[in-house]
Amino acid sequence: RDLLDGEHSASGLANFVKFGTDSGHLTLSIDHNGGGSFSADQTIVLSSYADKSALAADLGLSGSYSDAD
């Protein structure tokens, strides 16, 4: 079963995933159907990271990125 339902027909992953923070940790929230208003079905806490820039650096990503990335 797919984690994201309908992502191939959607305008982008921003309808399905959002980064945030909780208690100083980076979070990735997932809305499995990406419809209407964002409503997270699951939230993953990346406790080793305080923000997206630290994660991007560890992944070897460079350059600019936006909240939609």
Side-chain angles (χ1 to χ4, degrees), residues 39-65:
S39 178
D41 299 302
Q42 183 170 5
T43 299
I44 300 165
V45 178
L46 304 170
S47 59
S48 297
Y49 299 97
D51 55 44
K52 290 188 293 185
S53 62
L55 175 62
D58 278 357
L59 292 174
L61 302 175
S62 61
S64 63
Y65 55 87

Side-chain angles (χ1 to χ4, degrees), residues 3-28:
L3 175 64
L4 305 178
D5 183 25
E7 82 281 2
H8 297 293
S9 61
S11 60
L13 286 178
N15 295 330
F16 296 90
V17 296
K18 295 195 184 296
F19 284 100
T21 56
D22 183 23
S23 300
H25 301 295
L26 184 64
T27 60
L28 178 62

